[in-house]
Amino acid sequence: MKISRRQFAAGAAATGGLIACPAVAQQAPIVIKFSHVVTNDTPKGKGALKFKELAEKYTDGKVKVEVYPNSSLYKDKEEIEALQLGAVQMLAPATAKFAPLGAKEFEALDLPFAFKDDENFQKAMKGPLAQFLFSKLEPKGVKGLAFWDNGFHMFSANKPLIKPADLQGVKVRISGSKVADRYFRLCGAIPQILAFSEVYQALQTGVVDGCENTPSNYLTQKFYEVQKNITIARHAHLQYAVIVNSKYWEGLPPDVRTALEKAMSEATDFTNKDAQQDNAEALETMKKSGKCEFHVATDAERAAWKTAMDPTYEWAIGRVGKEAVDMIRKASAA
Ligand code: LMR
């Protein structure tokens, strides 16, 4: 989807320069527009606000960060296009959405049952895997700054999903990854890509029957109000890569860039620490609401889901490359 002239203008305005003032002309702050698709009270939403607070503090006000949550500036595909055009300066898309950037390798992170827990994931993203993935962005004029955690996906429909055959013929919304497309297809489901902002309505009106996402997203987007049965099998992980337009980033005054790097590093620690608790609380809130049924897969059920989805790994070699798949296997076993 092309971004409109209006959306481009909205994003491009006020990115720095001189402002007129009655008495003196003074240097306007450098504005960083940070667009994302979730609400402020999710791990990513809170991380963006933490980055804003620290960036403004560490640059002594030389930088102003404007956070646009909940797809208020751009939707999924539009935001990546806007970043490349320079209409927005910072994003944190789910890594499932990186193929349009020409970086399919990021989809390796969606491989089923790849990470044992959040600690395993966060450790992996501090090693060579992160450097490998970020190197794929450089030729596209995009720089990766950090990986942010949002824990494990759940999946849901309006019927119990206990074993892989229960997904037969179920239309499932996915966010963009062909790897997710494959693991759902292996269970007989019919995956469909939809923008995040369109999911609630699609579930409500039956355009799709089900979806996958983390507890914080189910709660804040109210998916749990339009889904009867949610299964927790920790089948896949949701993570974000915080990215900037490289030309923009390299063009910043060095002292400002250093201060922003410090702000990003601390905001990343904050987000990654918060994600697990945030999702646990979201789950409790939804359970208490009594609006849907939760099923925690037993070890045997998890094993059955894993077996059904496992051929994704062989298939993914043709999609993301052997190097990426091997790196995931290695990180997972660490
Ligand atoms: C999705 O589209 O499901 C996710 O990318 C939303 C998110 O957390 O960014």
Side-chain angles (χ1 to χ4, degrees), residues 208-280:
V208 288
D209 309 308
C211 64
E212 63 171 355
N213 231 301
T214 58
S216 54
N217 280 343
Y218 268 86
L219 175 67
T220 53
Q221 299 294 326
K222 301 188 171 32
F223 298 160
Y224 74 111
E225 294 185 3
V226 285
Q227 291 282 265
K228 288 202 178 77
N229 300 86
I230 302 182
T231 295
I232 303 170
R234 302 202 322 279
H235 69 289
H237 194 268
L238 176 57
Q239 58 281 315
Y240 311 110
V242 185
I243 53 176
V244 287
N245 180 306
S246 313
K247 217 164 136 195
Y248 173 81
W249 193 252
E250 302 309 332
L252 289 171
D255 61 321
V256 167
R257 204 169 48 238
T258 303
L260 293 179
E261 278 162 1
K262 178 169 147 74
M264 182 52 68
S265 162
E266 290 178 24
T268 299
D269 288 345
F270 167 87
T271 311
N272 289 348
K273 234 180 242 154
D274 181 63
Q276 228 170 323
Q277 165 118 1
D278 208 64
N279 278 306

Side-chain angles (χ1 to χ4, degrees), residues 42-311:
T42 57
K44 177 163 64 179
K46 289 185 205 165
L49 292 175
K50 177 55 86 179
F51 172 72
K52 171 184 167 63
E53 174 200 319
L54 297 174
E56 292 176 356
K57 179 168 141 193
Y58 294 153
T59 61
D60 290 324
K62 276 188 228 150
V63 166
K64 184 168 179 298
V65 180
E66 294 177 358
V67 178
Y68 295 89
N70 216 18
S71 312
S72 54
L73 193 56
Y74 299 113
K75 288 197 214 173
D76 299 24
K77 265 197 216 154
E78 297 166 356
E79 64 177 17
I80 299 227
E81 208 179 309
L83 185 83
Q84 288 183 298
L85 286 170
V88 67
Q89 289 72 43
M90 188 174 280
L91 306 174
T95 53
K97 298 178 185 174
F98 277 58
L101 264 176
K104 291 179 197 157
E105 292 84 355
F106 279 76
E107 291 180 7
L109 296 171
D110 302 322
L111 280 161
F113 298 91
F115 299 107
K116 286 189 274 291
D117 49 33
D118 285 298
E119 201 187 332
N120 181 215
F121 163 77
Q122 290 185 21
K123 211 167 147 204
M125 299 330 285
K126 287 191 178 126
L129 178 59
Q131 296 321 312
F132 168 79
L133 293 173
F134 281 159
S135 74
K136 304 294 168 192
L137 296 175
E138 279 162 24
K140 317 292 173 192
V142 173
K143 185 172 172 57
L145 297 181
F147 282 95
W148 286 1
D149 192 355
N150 190 7
F152 288 90
H153 279 297
M154 313 186 291
F155 54 90
S156 61
N158 288 316
K159 65 173 198 172
L161 302 170
I162 311 299
K163 53 185 188 309
D166 295 333
L167 271 178
Q168 191 64 42
V170 175
K171 285 180 277 167
V172 180
R173 179 270 174 176
I174 55 168
S175 67
S177 168
K178 287 282 183 221
V179 167
D181 180 281
R182 178 57 47 163
Y183 64 64
F184 276 126
R185 274 186 205 281
L186 283 164
C187 300
I190 307 160
Q192 190 176 326
I193 297 173
L194 285 176
F196 187 59
S197 59
E198 289 159 15
V199 181
Y200 176 85
Q201 208 186 356
L203 291 169
Q204 193 185 35
T205 57
V207 168
V208 288
D209 309 308
C211 64
E212 63 171 355
N213 231 301
T214 58
S216 54
N217 280 343
Y218 268 86
L219 175 67
T220 53
Q221 299 294 326
K222 301 188 171 32
F223 298 160
Y224 74 111
E225 294 185 3
V226 285
Q227 291 282 265
K228 288 202 178 77
N229 300 86
I230 302 182
T231 295
I232 303 170
R234 302 202 322 279
H235 69 289
H237 194 268
L238 176 57
Q239 58 281 315
Y240 311 110
V242 185
I243 53 176
V244 287
N245 180 306
S246 313
K247 217 164 136 195
Y248 173 81
W249 193 252
E250 302 309 332
L252 289 171
D255 61 321
V256 167
R257 204 169 48 238
T258 303
L260 293 179
E261 278 162 1
K262 178 169 147 74
M264 182 52 68
S265 162
E266 290 178 24
T268 299
D269 288 345
F270 167 87
T271 311
N272 289 348
K273 234 180 242 154
D274 181 63
Q276 228 170 323
Q277 165 118 1
D278 208 64
N279 278 306
E281 284 172 9
L283 190 56
E284 275 318 299
T285 305
M286 290 187 286
K287 279 183 182 165
K288 279 196 197 122
S289 80
K291 290 195 168 142
C292 63
E293 293 262 318
F294 286 89
H295 174 72
V296 181
T298 63
D299 287 350
E301 287 163 2
R302 258 190 111 226
W305 287 108
K306 189 170 185 305
T307 302
M309 294 179 174
D310 210 52

